Amino acid sequence: METPDDLKNVVREKYAAIAGQSREENASSCCGTGGCCTVDYAVFAEDYTRLKGYQKEADLGLGCGIPTEFARISAGDTVVDLGSGAGNDVFVARTIVGDSGKVIGVDMTEAMIEKARANNAKLGFHNVEFRLGDIEKLPLTAQTADVVISNCVLNLVPNKAKAFSEIFRVLKTGGHFSISDIVISGNLPRSIREAAEMYAGCVSGAIDRDAYLALITNAGFTDVRVVKVKPIHLPDELLLQYLSEDELREFRASGTAITSITIYGRKEACCPPSTGCC
């Protein structure tokens, strides 16, 4: 069984490989987003091309939603994007905050940070920053952000409770988040849960929807609601890499659902009520 550090290394290696290619190269490569040896991220990805601020070079097709749609970002806000990749959501958010705001992207993969910084250098934004860091221990001071966004990343974090406590810490009181992620209802087969490449592909790291929402409320957030739901269908040819035909039939009949959800929540107090620190 992989340790948390093992899982993080799997994710770093996978996303470092993706960072080294364009979206078109990723789509045709066995080591890319549409490759034959892992999850085809196209089943998750949304179309960003209609959005203001869209930058083709920053779109690697790795998201499962568009969190900025529901993030209620205003001009002048400080926005933090967790798992910012090549900068796709960062640049969309930058268009909304304008020159008076700031957007900070955080990613734990050095190759992604380098790619994002190179993209930003071409655009010349002086209020965009990319920081190398772990979501379980964010490189940000408390009360930094008006808004936190994240797109199909927290399912890759081993300690999700710690991740949400960090989001709470870095948000200003009165701030809020908009997060798109993958959740499940039912049970994934053991061979899928234990496959490292399925973890890096956002599937086996996903947890039960109710448990996911409970982690958010336990971290102290209020007004927590699911604002968008999108069913995800994994093709048989992918699942047959991990399941026998009998296991696949059993899985299909089980009613287990894999879903992309976008969640909104607010930070109303200076610290979680359970701590009594206020």
Side-chain angles (χ1 to χ4, degrees):
M1 184 66 181
E2 290 87 358
T3 67
D5 285 342
D6 290 336
L7 291 172
K8 289 179 183 179
N9 286 333
V10 167
V11 172
R12 283 192 187 95
E13 291 172 4
K14 172 66 178 179
Y15 286 85
I18 291 173
Q21 298 177 316
S22 68
R23 180 170 182 168
E24 291 78 10
E25 288 170 331
N26 281 322
S28 61
S29 168
C30 189
C31 294
T33 60
C36 57
C37 56
T38 186
V39 175
D40 183 349
Y41 294 82
V43 302
F44 302 135
E46 297 270 6
D47 181 12
Y48 269 73
T49 57
R50 60 184 172 82
L51 299 182
K52 290 183 178 180
Y54 174 74
Q55 302 295 329
K56 182 179 180 181
E57 294 80 4
D59 181 11
L60 300 180
L62 298 173
C64 59
I66 304 179
T68 52
E69 279 189 314
F70 305 96
R72 302 183 183 183
I73 299 169
S74 299
D77 277 350
T78 295
V79 178
V80 172
D81 179 21
L82 304 181
S84 50
N88 195 28
D89 288 294
V90 167
F91 297 129
V92 172
R94 165 59 180 75
T95 298
I96 304 171
V97 304
D99 292 336
S100 61
K102 184 174 183 177
V103 187
I104 303 169
V106 178
D107 202 286
M108 72 171 186
T109 304
E110 289 188 28
M112 282 294 186
I113 292 292
E114 291 171 3
K115 192 178 188 79
R117 288 173 176 169
N119 286 333
N120 189 54
K122 294 175 185 176
L123 296 168
F125 293 139
H126 299 293
N127 57 341
V128 167
E129 181 183 352
F130 292 97
R131 299 184 186 181
L132 183 67
D134 192 318
I135 294 175
E136 294 174 6
K137 190 177 181 181
L138 288 169
L140 298 161
T141 57
Q143 304 263 351
T144 292
D146 297 290
V147 184
V148 169
I149 60 174
S150 186
N151 196 349
C152 212
V153 172
L154 292 179
N155 54 74
L156 300 173
V157 177
N159 190 337
K160 294 173 178 60
K162 179 61 175 172
F164 281 112
S165 71
E166 280 289 273
I167 294 171
F168 193 96
R169 181 182 67 81
V170 302
L171 270 172
K172 298 175 183 177
T173 302
H176 58 272
F177 70 79
S178 177
I179 291 171
S180 298
D181 214 348
I182 301 296
V183 295
I184 60 170
S185 59
N187 296 303
L188 291 173
R190 180 177 177 180
S191 56
I192 290 179
R193 293 198 314 270
E194 294 182 352
E197 60 267 34
M198 291 292 275
Y199 185 91
C202 306
V203 177
S204 69
I207 63 173
D208 177 79
R209 169 175 163 153
D210 290 341
Y212 193 104
L213 296 176
L215 288 174
I216 296 173
T217 55
N218 289 344
F221 291 103
T222 60
D223 193 21
V224 177
R225 44 204 158 101
V226 176
V227 294
K228 185 176 181 179
V229 177
K230 182 179 74 171
I232 301 295
H233 178 78
L234 297 180
D236 288 355
E237 56 267 29
L238 169 66
L239 294 175
L240 284 171
Q241 296 180 45
Y242 308 95
L243 305 174
S244 68
E245 292 189 0
D246 287 343
E247 289 171 330
L248 176 59
R249 283 192 290 270
E250 183 178 345
F251 172 67
R252 293 297 190 202
S254 70
T256 295
I258 302 169
T259 309
S260 165
I261 60 174
T262 300
I263 313 156
Y264 173 92
R266 293 186 58 81
K267 176 182 176 177
E268 299 288 1
C270 63
C271 58
S274 60
T275 67
C277 66
C278 294

